[in-house]
Amino acid sequence: MKALFLSIVCYLCIAQLQAQQVSLLSADQLNERLKQGKDTVFVVNLWATWCVPCVKELPFFGRLQHAYPDNPLKILLISLDFRSKIKSEVEPFIKKMKLEQEVFVMNDVDQQTFIDKVDKQWSGSIPATLLVNTAKQQRKFIPNELTYEQLVDQYESIK
Amino acid sequence: MKRLTTFLLLAFIVKASAQTSGYQVGALVSDFSLKNTNNKTVALSDYPDAKGYIVAFTCNTCPVAKAYEERLIQLNSKYAPLGYPVIAINPNDPDVSAGDSFQAMQERAKSKQYAFAYLYDPGQEVTRQFGAERTPHIYLLQKTAKGNKVAYIGAIDNDPEEANPQRINYLENAIAALQKGKQPDVAFTKAVGCGVKFKK
């Protein structure tokens, strides 16, 4: 009985841990979420653990969130790491970088489809950032690395 | 209605096959002269017997480029004898990406025994001319009477991780079309890669 209880507790622990970890996201799911945004401004960063400029840029998104605590601002960090690297690379990386934002790994295998679905202007190069204000029907795609100041400017221009 | 559908379809194709800058599919490419890792300069005109060229923007540092390195070596050994040599160009600025210095390129070419040119693009002029945005980024050129024409832009295949059971070899399919005197069915693809490190 005790063993059973322990195993249930363990199972719950694991489930809890997993809940805080990385989810998979398809481009369709992303677009659906952006569409439901109402007054929320989404800042979607496309990155990977292996991409040096992306790693440099990642903390800026946390900084942006803290700089606008009262704004309807949602940051989504979408990793393009291989799905087979979630446990070995992405999750330890999130821990190490203490990322507080929602992190996803792109779930579509066919890059031809998902790159265009995220944004027609995107060639697939990373880092890249997408800002979406559904209420104002505004959308901005930035196909390169941003400094913190540039990120703030981009956000200010669309919020 | 049918006409509208056709129009929309065409509009979609045009949009999906657009490069944001640089050469588009069908454009004629200006020749260039860049320094190879053996210190000699290389130009497209140095290959009088070529039927075309596999111009590959690639580098030392990008994990995606590294994942494709062996495939690039294989492509050159398969297609150079058939008239389609690989010409690799490193588009990254070494001040931004130290691992892409000319010396590092020389070391890489030597250790991997590149049988193809691996060119340094100081000032990134050729990179901008082509509109290369990431590594790896492939431009398949076809030699024509008018000049070297862009026949295909994009990825080598749709299988960076070498785990896709439905692998499509875009580049090889495009070469096969040229060999048959046709144009590639798929002339433009996108792929996840490392953004080119431009000078700041």
Side-chain angles (χ1 to χ4, degrees), chain A residues 87-124:
Chain A
K87 288 271 174 280
S88 62
E89 304 277 346
V90 183
E91 288 178 352
F93 179 86
I94 293 168
K95 224 172 175 179
K96 193 183 95 191
M97 297 284 287
K98 300 191 174 72
L99 296 179
E100 297 165 354
Q101 293 75 37
E102 283 187 65
V103 180
F104 299 93
V105 167
M106 186 56 82
N107 194 25
D108 297 88
V109 181
D110 184 6
Q111 299 191 347
Q112 299 320 307
T113 326
F114 85 68
I115 292 174
D116 271 342
K117 276 183 185 170
V118 171
D119 198 285
K120 282 262 186 272
Q121 292 172 57
W122 187 28
S123 83

Short mmCIF file of all heavy atoms in Angstrom, two decimals, chain A residues 87-124:
data_model
loop_
_atom_site.label_atom_id
_atom_site.label_comp_id
_atom_site.label_asym_id
_atom_site.label_seq_id
_atom_site.Cartn_x
_atom_site.Cartn_y
_atom_site.Cartn_z
N LYS A 87 15.04 16.77 -24.30
CA LYS A 87 15.49 16.35 -22.96
C LYS A 87 16.97 16.66 -22.74
O LYS A 87 17.38 17.09 -21.67
CB LYS A 87 15.24 14.85 -22.77
CG LYS A 87 13.76 14.50 -22.61
CD LYS A 87 13.32 14.55 -21.16
CE LYS A 87 11.83 14.35 -21.00
NZ LYS A 87 11.04 15.58 -21.27
N SER A 88 17.78 16.40 -23.77
CA SER A 88 19.23 16.49 -23.58
C SER A 88 19.77 17.91 -23.70
O SER A 88 20.78 18.25 -23.08
CB SER A 88 19.95 15.59 -24.59
OG SER A 88 19.67 16.02 -25.90
N GLU A 89 19.10 18.77 -24.48
CA GLU A 89 19.65 20.12 -24.71
C GLU A 89 18.71 21.23 -24.23
O GLU A 89 19.12 22.10 -23.47
CB GLU A 89 19.91 20.35 -26.22
CG GLU A 89 20.80 19.34 -26.88
CD GLU A 89 22.28 19.64 -26.68
OE1 GLU A 89 22.62 20.76 -26.26
OE2 GLU A 89 23.08 18.72 -26.94
N VAL A 90 17.45 21.19 -24.71
CA VAL A 90 16.57 22.35 -24.51
C VAL A 90 16.21 22.53 -23.03
O VAL A 90 16.36 23.62 -22.49
CB VAL A 90 15.30 22.24 -25.38
CG1 VAL A 90 14.43 23.48 -25.22
CG2 VAL A 90 15.66 22.04 -26.85
N GLU A 91 15.80 21.45 -22.39
CA GLU A 91 15.37 21.59 -20.99
C GLU A 91 16.51 21.99 -20.05
O GLU A 91 16.33 22.91 -19.24
CB GLU A 91 14.64 20.31 -20.54
CG GLU A 91 13.27 20.25 -21.23
CD GLU A 91 12.45 19.03 -20.92
OE1 GLU A 91 12.98 18.10 -20.27
OE2 GLU A 91 11.28 19.00 -21.33
N PRO A 92 17.68 21.37 -20.17
CA PRO A 92 18.79 21.85 -19.32
C PRO A 92 19.15 23.30 -19.61
O PRO A 92 19.49 24.06 -18.68
CB PRO A 92 19.97 20.93 -19.71
CG PRO A 92 19.35 19.72 -20.31
CD PRO A 92 18.06 20.18 -20.93
N PHE A 93 19.01 23.71 -20.85
CA PHE A 93 19.33 25.09 -21.25
C PHE A 93 18.37 26.07 -20.57
O PHE A 93 18.78 27.12 -20.07
CB PHE A 93 19.26 25.20 -22.77
CG PHE A 93 19.54 26.58 -23.29
CD1 PHE A 93 20.84 26.99 -23.53
CD2 PHE A 93 18.51 27.48 -23.53
CE1 PHE A 93 21.11 28.26 -24.01
CE2 PHE A 93 18.77 28.76 -24.01
CZ PHE A 93 20.06 29.15 -24.24
N ILE A 94 17.09 25.74 -20.57
CA ILE A 94 16.08 26.61 -19.95
C ILE A 94 16.38 26.81 -18.47
O ILE A 94 16.30 27.91 -17.93
CB ILE A 94 14.67 26.00 -20.12
CG1 ILE A 94 14.29 26.00 -21.59
CG2 ILE A 94 13.64 26.75 -19.29
CD1 ILE A 94 13.06 25.18 -21.89
N LYS A 95 16.80 25.71 -17.85
CA LYS A 95 17.15 25.74 -16.43
C LYS A 95 18.37 26.64 -16.21
O LYS A 95 18.37 27.50 -15.34
CB LYS A 95 17.47 24.31 -15.98
CG LYS A 95 16.86 23.93 -14.66
CD LYS A 95 17.09 22.46 -14.43
CE LYS A 95 16.61 22.05 -13.05
NZ LYS A 95 16.82 20.61 -12.87
N LYS A 96 19.37 26.41 -17.02
CA LYS A 96 20.63 27.15 -16.88
C LYS A 96 20.41 28.65 -17.09
O LYS A 96 20.94 29.48 -16.35
CB LYS A 96 21.64 26.63 -17.91
CG LYS A 96 23.07 27.09 -17.66
CD LYS A 96 24.03 26.60 -18.74
CE LYS A 96 24.20 27.67 -19.80
NZ LYS A 96 24.90 27.22 -21.00
N MET A 97 19.60 28.98 -18.10
CA MET A 97 19.36 30.39 -18.43
C MET A 97 18.26 30.99 -17.55
O MET A 97 17.96 32.17 -17.66
CB MET A 97 18.95 30.53 -19.90
CG MET A 97 19.99 30.11 -20.90
SD MET A 97 21.34 31.30 -21.09
CE MET A 97 20.53 32.62 -22.01
N LYS A 98 17.62 30.14 -16.74
CA LYS A 98 16.50 30.57 -15.88
C LYS A 98 15.43 31.30 -16.70
O LYS A 98 14.96 32.38 -16.31
CB LYS A 98 17.01 31.46 -14.74
CG LYS A 98 18.04 30.78 -13.83
CD LYS A 98 18.28 31.63 -12.58
CE LYS A 98 19.16 30.96 -11.56
NZ LYS A 98 20.58 30.89 -11.96
N LEU A 99 15.05 30.73 -17.81
CA LEU A 99 14.04 31.36 -18.66
C LEU A 99 12.67 31.24 -18.00
O LEU A 99 12.26 30.15 -17.62
CB LEU A 99 14.01 30.69 -20.05
CG LEU A 99 15.27 30.84 -20.90
CD1 LEU A 99 15.10 30.13 -22.23
CD2 LEU A 99 15.61 32.31 -21.13
N GLU A 100 11.99 32.37 -17.87
CA GLU A 100 10.68 32.36 -17.20
C GLU A 100 9.54 32.35 -18.21
O GLU A 100 8.40 32.15 -17.86
CB GLU A 100 10.54 33.63 -16.35
CG GLU A 100 11.56 33.71 -15.22
CD GLU A 100 11.64 35.12 -14.64
OE1 GLU A 100 11.01 36.05 -15.18
OE2 GLU A 100 12.36 35.28 -13.63
N GLN A 101 9.84 32.60 -19.48
CA GLN A 101 8.79 32.69 -20.48
C GLN A 101 8.38 31.30 -20.96
O GLN A 101 9.05 30.32 -20.71
CB GLN A 101 9.26 33.52 -21.68
CG GLN A 101 9.50 34.97 -21.37
CD GLN A 101 10.78 35.20 -20.59
OE1 GLN A 101 11.76 34.53 -20.83
NE2 GLN A 101 10.74 36.11 -19.64
N GLU A 102 7.27 31.28 -21.67
CA GLU A 102 6.82 30.00 -22.24
C GLU A 102 7.78 29.58 -23.35
O GLU A 102 8.06 30.37 -24.25
CB GLU A 102 5.43 30.17 -22.84
CG GLU A 102 4.32 30.18 -21.81
CD GLU A 102 2.96 30.17 -22.50
OE1 GLU A 102 2.64 29.17 -23.17
OE2 GLU A 102 2.24 31.18 -22.36
N VAL A 103 8.24 28.35 -23.26
CA VAL A 103 9.16 27.85 -24.27
C VAL A 103 8.52 26.67 -25.00
O VAL A 103 7.94 25.79 -24.38
CB VAL A 103 10.50 27.39 -23.65
CG1 VAL A 103 11.45 26.87 -24.72
CG2 VAL A 103 11.15 28.54 -22.88
N PHE A 104 8.63 26.71 -26.31
CA PHE A 104 8.11 25.61 -27.13
C PHE A 104 9.20 25.13 -28.08
O PHE A 104 10.14 25.86 -28.36
CB PHE A 104 6.93 26.10 -27.99
CG PHE A 104 5.77 26.61 -27.19
CD1 PHE A 104 5.66 27.96 -26.90
CD2 PHE A 104 4.80 25.74 -26.72
CE1 PHE A 104 4.59 28.45 -26.16
CE2 PHE A 104 3.73 26.21 -25.99
CZ PHE A 104 3.63 27.57 -25.70
N VAL A 105 9.01 23.92 -28.55
CA VAL A 105 9.85 23.44 -29.64
C VAL A 105 8.93 23.22 -30.85
O VAL A 105 7.84 22.66 -30.71
CB VAL A 105 10.59 22.14 -29.27
CG1 VAL A 105 11.21 21.47 -30.50
CG2 VAL A 105 11.69 22.44 -28.25
N MET A 106 9.37 23.71 -32.00
CA MET A 106 8.56 23.61 -33.21
C MET A 106 8.28 22.15 -33.55
O MET A 106 9.19 21.33 -33.59
CB MET A 106 9.28 24.30 -34.37
CG MET A 106 8.49 24.39 -35.64
SD MET A 106 6.88 25.20 -35.47
CE MET A 106 7.36 26.92 -35.55
N ASN A 107 7.02 21.86 -33.76
CA ASN A 107 6.61 20.47 -33.91
C ASN A 107 6.47 20.03 -35.37
O ASN A 107 6.38 18.85 -35.65
CB ASN A 107 5.27 20.24 -33.19
CG ASN A 107 4.95 18.78 -33.02
OD1 ASN A 107 5.85 17.95 -33.00
ND2 ASN A 107 3.68 18.47 -32.91
N ASP A 108 6.46 20.98 -36.30
CA ASP A 108 6.28 20.59 -37.70
C ASP A 108 7.58 20.04 -38.27
O ASP A 108 8.63 20.66 -38.11
CB ASP A 108 5.86 21.79 -38.54
CG ASP A 108 4.52 22.34 -38.12
OD1 ASP A 108 4.50 23.20 -37.22
OD2 ASP A 108 3.51 21.91 -38.66
N VAL A 109 7.49 18.92 -38.94
CA VAL A 109 8.69 18.34 -39.54
C VAL A 109 9.00 19.05 -40.86
O VAL A 109 10.14 19.29 -41.20
CB VAL A 109 8.50 16.83 -39.79
CG1 VAL A 109 9.77 16.22 -40.39
CG2 VAL A 109 8.16 16.13 -38.48
N ASP A 110 7.95 19.39 -41.59
CA ASP A 110 8.14 19.97 -42.91
C ASP A 110 8.44 21.47 -42.81
O ASP A 110 7.56 22.29 -42.62
CB ASP A 110 6.89 19.74 -43.77
CG ASP A 110 7.10 20.25 -45.19
OD1 ASP A 110 8.23 20.66 -45.50
OD2 ASP A 110 6.13 20.25 -45.96
N GLN A 111 9.71 21.79 -42.97
CA GLN A 111 10.12 23.19 -42.82
C GLN A 111 9.49 24.08 -43.89
O GLN A 111 9.25 25.25 -43.64
CB GLN A 111 11.65 23.29 -42.89
CG GLN A 111 12.33 22.51 -41.77
CD GLN A 111 13.80 22.82 -41.66
OE1 GLN A 111 14.41 23.42 -42.52
NE2 GLN A 111 14.40 22.40 -40.55
N GLN A 112 9.22 23.51 -45.08
CA GLN A 112 8.62 24.32 -46.15
C GLN A 112 7.29 24.89 -45.70
O GLN A 112 6.93 26.00 -46.04
CB GLN A 112 8.39 23.48 -47.42
CG GLN A 112 9.65 22.91 -48.02
CD GLN A 112 10.80 23.88 -47.99
OE1 GLN A 112 10.68 25.01 -48.43
NE2 GLN A 112 11.92 23.47 -47.43
N THR A 113 6.55 24.10 -44.93
CA THR A 113 5.23 24.55 -44.51
C THR A 113 5.33 25.51 -43.34
O THR A 113 4.78 26.60 -43.37
CB THR A 113 4.37 23.34 -44.09
OG1 THR A 113 4.73 22.25 -44.91
CG2 THR A 113 2.92 23.62 -44.24
N PHE A 114 6.06 25.12 -42.31
CA PHE A 114 5.97 25.95 -41.10
C PHE A 114 6.68 27.29 -41.23
O PHE A 114 6.24 28.28 -40.67
CB PHE A 114 6.37 25.18 -39.84
CG PHE A 114 7.82 25.11 -39.49
CD1 PHE A 114 8.52 26.24 -39.08
CD2 PHE A 114 8.49 23.90 -39.48
CE1 PHE A 114 9.85 26.16 -38.73
CE2 PHE A 114 9.82 23.82 -39.13
CZ PHE A 114 10.51 24.94 -38.76
N ILE A 115 7.75 27.36 -42.01
CA ILE A 115 8.45 28.65 -42.14
C ILE A 115 7.51 29.68 -42.77
O ILE A 115 7.36 30.78 -42.25
CB ILE A 115 9.75 28.48 -42.96
CG1 ILE A 115 10.76 27.65 -42.16
CG2 ILE A 115 10.35 29.84 -43.32
CD1 ILE A 115 12.02 27.29 -42.91
N ASP A 116 6.84 29.30 -43.83
CA ASP A 116 5.90 30.22 -44.47
C ASP A 116 4.70 30.53 -43.59
O ASP A 116 4.16 31.63 -43.63
CB ASP A 116 5.41 29.65 -45.81
CG ASP A 116 6.32 30.05 -46.96
OD1 ASP A 116 7.09 31.01 -46.80
OD2 ASP A 116 6.26 29.41 -48.02
N LYS A 117 4.27 29.53 -42.81
CA LYS A 117 3.11 29.77 -41.94
C LYS A 117 3.44 30.75 -40.82
O LYS A 117 2.59 31.51 -40.39
CB LYS A 117 2.63 28.45 -41.33
CG LYS A 117 1.71 27.67 -42.25
CD LYS A 117 1.23 26.42 -41.56
CE LYS A 117 0.41 25.54 -42.49
NZ LYS A 117 0.15 24.23 -41.88
N VAL A 118 4.67 30.71 -40.33
CA VAL A 118 5.06 31.66 -39.28
C VAL A 118 5.12 33.06 -39.88
O VAL A 118 4.53 34.00 -39.36
CB VAL A 118 6.42 31.28 -38.65
CG1 VAL A 118 6.92 32.39 -37.73
CG2 VAL A 118 6.30 29.97 -37.88
N ASP A 119 5.81 33.20 -41.00
CA ASP A 119 5.80 34.47 -41.73
C ASP A 119 6.38 34.28 -43.12
O ASP A 119 7.43 33.67 -43.28
CB ASP A 119 6.61 35.54 -40.99
CG ASP A 119 6.25 36.94 -41.47
OD1 ASP A 119 6.68 37.31 -42.59
OD2 ASP A 119 5.51 37.64 -40.77
N LYS A 120 5.67 34.83 -44.10
CA LYS A 120 6.10 34.71 -45.49
C LYS A 120 7.49 35.31 -45.72
O LYS A 120 8.22 34.87 -46.59
CB LYS A 120 5.11 35.42 -46.41
CG LYS A 120 3.85 34.62 -46.65
CD LYS A 120 3.93 33.86 -47.97
CE LYS A 120 2.62 33.17 -48.30
NZ LYS A 120 2.56 31.83 -47.72
N GLN A 121 7.81 36.33 -44.93
CA GLN A 121 9.11 36.98 -45.12
C GLN A 121 10.27 36.18 -44.54
O GLN A 121 11.43 36.51 -44.77
CB GLN A 121 9.13 38.33 -44.40
CG GLN A 121 8.24 39.38 -44.99
CD GLN A 121 8.22 40.59 -44.07
OE1 GLN A 121 9.25 41.17 -43.75
NE2 GLN A 121 7.06 40.96 -43.60
N TRP A 122 9.95 35.18 -43.74
CA TRP A 122 11.01 34.44 -43.05
C TRP A 122 11.65 33.43 -43.99
O TRP A 122 10.95 32.63 -44.62
CB TRP A 122 10.41 33.74 -41.82
CG TRP A 122 11.41 33.08 -40.93
CD1 TRP A 122 12.73 33.44 -40.76
CD2 TRP A 122 11.19 31.96 -40.07
NE1 TRP A 122 13.32 32.60 -39.84
CE2 TRP A 122 12.41 31.69 -39.40
CE3 TRP A 122 10.09 31.16 -39.78
CZ2 TRP A 122 12.54 30.65 -38.49
CZ3 TRP A 122 10.23 30.13 -38.86
CH2 TRP A 122 11.44 29.88 -38.22
N SER A 123 13.00 33.47 -44.06
CA SER A 123 13.71 32.51 -44.91
C SER A 123 14.09 31.25 -44.14
O SER A 123 14.54 30.28 -44.71
CB SER A 123 14.98 33.14 -45.46
OG SER A 123 16.02 33.06 -44.51
N GLY A 124 13.94 31.33 -42.81
CA GLY A 124 14.32 30.20 -41.97
C GLY A 124 15.56 30.51 -41.14
O GLY A 124 15.96 29.71 -40.31
#
